[in-house]
Amino acid sequence: MSSVKLEQISRKFIDVAALQQQRFTGIDDISFEIPDGEFWVLVGPSGCGKSTLLRIIAGLETATSGDIYIGDRLVNQVPARQRDVAMVFQNYALYPHMTVAENLSFGMQMRGINKSIIQQRIQDVAKSLKIDTLLDRKPKQLSGGQQQRVALGRAIARSPQVFLLDEPLSNLDAGLRENTRSELKQLHQQVGITTIYVTHDCVEAMTLADRIVVLDRGYIQQIGTPNEIYHHPTNQMVATFIGTPPMNIIPAIYHDRIWNIGDSKISCSSELATQLQLRNGQGLNLGIRPEYLTIVPNSTPDTLSLTVQTLETLGRETLLKAQINGTSTDLNLLAPPSTSGQFNDLPDKMLGKQLTIQLASEWLFIFDPSTGRRLFPPNT
Ligand code: ATP
């Protein structure tokens, strides 16, 4: 086991189309230190640079600049096979002509590990991953989930310093993905190997990580525990990327202690107006998570009026998308079972239904519409 430290890692790709549009391609100025034994998740939209960063740590890609340390060892010049890291990819990459047992032992044999130790490790790993009854099968005789467990087992059996996982669950169907995800978490608790896990799925990031690194367009947006990232996002990108359904963003125009939002008006406290030095006519983005919007029976001065666009019945709750009247802004709302009775109609009958909602103003975020920076609550 080992810590992993990145110091100002950059990788610039030459992409003519991107250069013409003055777009940067690659990753830039990435620095962080993962303490020994922690599980970190790199998350972000497609093309944000997650895989590039993981491949640089693995030694499969060379950084344009910056330093990488595994433990105390500077590994910039160390080839991949000597970095003592194990990588698991989305497509398993098992040897098709070998049995599960042979796939598990191959890496250890190549390192000249004693046969009886190899046998013991195969048994231990196979048991902990529940593949001990499959040791004589070939990969094509296994389901996708079983193949992915073998791939994980092969990596664990090597007892690497660092475990690198690139979207390892994305080929599995939803149910299997959820099971394998919680097994992976348990496995990490047992073996405690420093793990870096890449995904574009924010639920995986939230459920697996000790700490999450949110990337966008090659840059770090925020590093924090799942709770910090969810409750204290530093900008609009993080706020809307993490959370399902995502945080609602409501463009509003400020005027004399009032937020004007289409046909609705919401009051703004004088403390907030003073703190943010708000000017009449100023446009800002209000952010609020769906769980802090409540459907209320009557409109009052501080409510928003909406028109239902879509409705999904999830059983435990109903997910609604509704447009704020007088705007083109859609909001995500969650109607709990207590209020779901009023949404019992078939979804197409609900279309166009008028709703009134209240915002829990203590959970309101305010973002600068041009930079996406969080203005409120202020960074502490
Ligand atoms: P995804 O989730 O789609 O796999 P990602 O976040 O892992 O995306 P990367 O694969 O790391 O993203 O790519 C980051 C950026 O670098 C993208 O814009 C990609 O097109 C570009 N890129 C990656 N590899 C190369 C390469 N060999 N040559 C040119 N551009 C590249």
Side-chain angles (χ1 to χ4, degrees):
M1 290 195 291
S2 236
S3 58
V4 175
K5 185 160 80 171
L6 306 187
E7 281 182 351
Q8 297 182 300
I9 292 290
S10 296
R11 174 73 170 98
K12 205 169 181 172
F13 293 113
I14 305 299
D15 176 336
V16 176
L19 283 177
Q20 279 167 352
Q21 296 163 18
Q22 297 190 318
R23 254 190 309 116
F24 167 74
T25 315
I27 52 173
D28 196 27
D29 197 18
I30 305 284
S31 298
F32 54 74
E33 181 166 1
I34 305 180
D36 187 5
E38 286 201 0
F39 195 125
W40 280 41
V41 175
L42 310 180
V43 71
S46 181
C48 70
K50 316 177 281 290
S51 299
T52 300
L53 190 54
L54 202 70
R55 289 169 58 78
I56 288 173
I57 299 169
L60 302 173
E61 182 91 58
T62 310
T64 315
S65 59
D67 290 327
I68 308 163
Y69 294 85
I70 296 182
D72 294 333
R73 187 162 72 128
L74 179 68
V75 296
N76 294 9
Q77 306 299 333
V78 177
R81 63 183 179 286
Q82 286 167 22
R83 288 196 183 185
D84 202 9
V85 300
M87 191 150 171
V88 176
F89 300 93
Q90 172 179 345
N91 59 2
Y92 327 135
L94 298 176
Y95 301 110
H97 58 287
M98 292 186 191
T99 63
V100 169
E102 288 163 348
N103 264 286
L104 291 176
S105 64
F106 185 72
M108 291 187 279
Q109 276 173 8
M110 296 307 284
R111 296 163 146 232
I113 294 175
N114 178 297
K115 261 196 179 152
S116 61
I117 295 179
I118 294 181
Q119 281 314 315
Q120 189 56 49
R121 263 202 214 158
I122 290 179
Q123 290 304 327
D124 292 347
V125 167
K127 220 176 227 156
S128 68
L129 284 164
K130 302 190 192 87
I131 48 173
D132 44 338
T133 56
L134 308 174
L135 290 172
D136 296 329
R137 292 205 201 166
K138 295 269 176 65
K140 66 172 186 292
Q141 298 169 303
L142 303 175
S143 71
Q146 290 167 336
Q147 287 188 50
Q148 191 54 291
R149 276 176 220 213
V150 177
L152 289 169
R154 186 175 55 180
I156 294 165
R158 282 180 44 196
S159 297
Q161 299 275 323
V162 182
F163 210 10
L164 304 174
L165 303 162
D166 194 353
E167 307 236 17
L169 309 184
S170 57
N171 277 354
L172 308 182
D173 65 44
L176 200 52
R177 198 159 59 221
E178 219 168 284
N179 282 345
T180 317
R181 192 175 73 207
S182 57
E183 282 167 14
L184 196 59
K185 178 97 183 166
Q186 280 176 12
L187 196 69
H188 177 257
Q189 281 158 356
Q190 281 167 28
V191 297
I193 296 174
T194 311
T195 302
I196 312 176
Y197 184 105
V198 158
T199 183
H200 62 271
D201 180 337
C202 68
V203 177
E204 270 178 26
M206 290 292 286
T207 50
L208 285 169
D210 290 322
R211 260 170 224 281
I212 298 175
V213 180
V214 185
L215 294 162
D216 191 30
R217 284 168 292 166
Y219 296 92
I220 292 181
Q221 302 294 314
Q222 189 169 0
I223 300 179
T225 63
N227 268 322
E228 283 164 355
I229 299 269
Y230 189 83
H231 294 294
H232 307 283
T234 52
N235 61 38
Q236 194 173 309
M237 182 270 152
V238 177
T240 50
F241 190 76
I242 299 287
T244 320
M247 183 185 284
N248 292 301
I249 300 296
I250 308 171
I253 309 279
Y254 174 80
H255 196 96
D256 288 347
R257 314 274 182 274
I258 296 285
W259 296 113
N260 291 282
I261 304 165
D263 300 344
S264 306
K265 292 180 190 307
I266 303 279
S267 48
C268 169
S269 71
S270 49
E271 294 83 31
L272 185 61
T274 311
Q275 200 175 335
L276 293 180
Q277 300 182 320
L278 295 174
R279 288 170 280 104
N280 283 348
Q282 188 174 358
L284 289 173
N285 286 346
L286 310 186
I288 189 148
R289 295 212 177 268
E291 57 268 38
Y292 302 123
L293 295 177
T294 315
I295 298 167
V296 291
N298 301 309
S299 74
T300 58
D302 262 342
T303 53
L304 289 178
S305 14
L306 315 178
T307 305
V308 174
Q309 304 289 319
T310 60
L311 177 145
E312 288 173 26
T313 307
L314 305 176
R316 197 168 37 139
E317 59 200 357
T318 305
L319 175 60
L320 294 149
K321 210 177 255 302
Q323 194 165 73
I324 305 176
N325 294 343
T327 73
S328 55
T329 307
D330 284 341
L331 298 189
N332 292 303
L333 307 170
L334 294 167
S338 54
T339 59
S340 283
Q342 54 182 303
F343 306 114
N344 279 347
D345 269 341
L346 292 173
D348 52 349
K349 284 210 177 146
M350 290 298 302
L351 284 184
K353 189 178 156 94
Q354 294 298 300
L355 289 180
T356 305
I357 60 154
Q358 204 155 38
L359 285 74
S361 55
E362 65 273 30
W363 294 104
L364 205 62
F365 289 89
I366 300 175
F367 300 103
D368 181 327
S370 53
T371 62
R373 196 166 62 87
R374 191 181 86 202
L375 303 176
F376 185 83
N379 283 316
T380 46

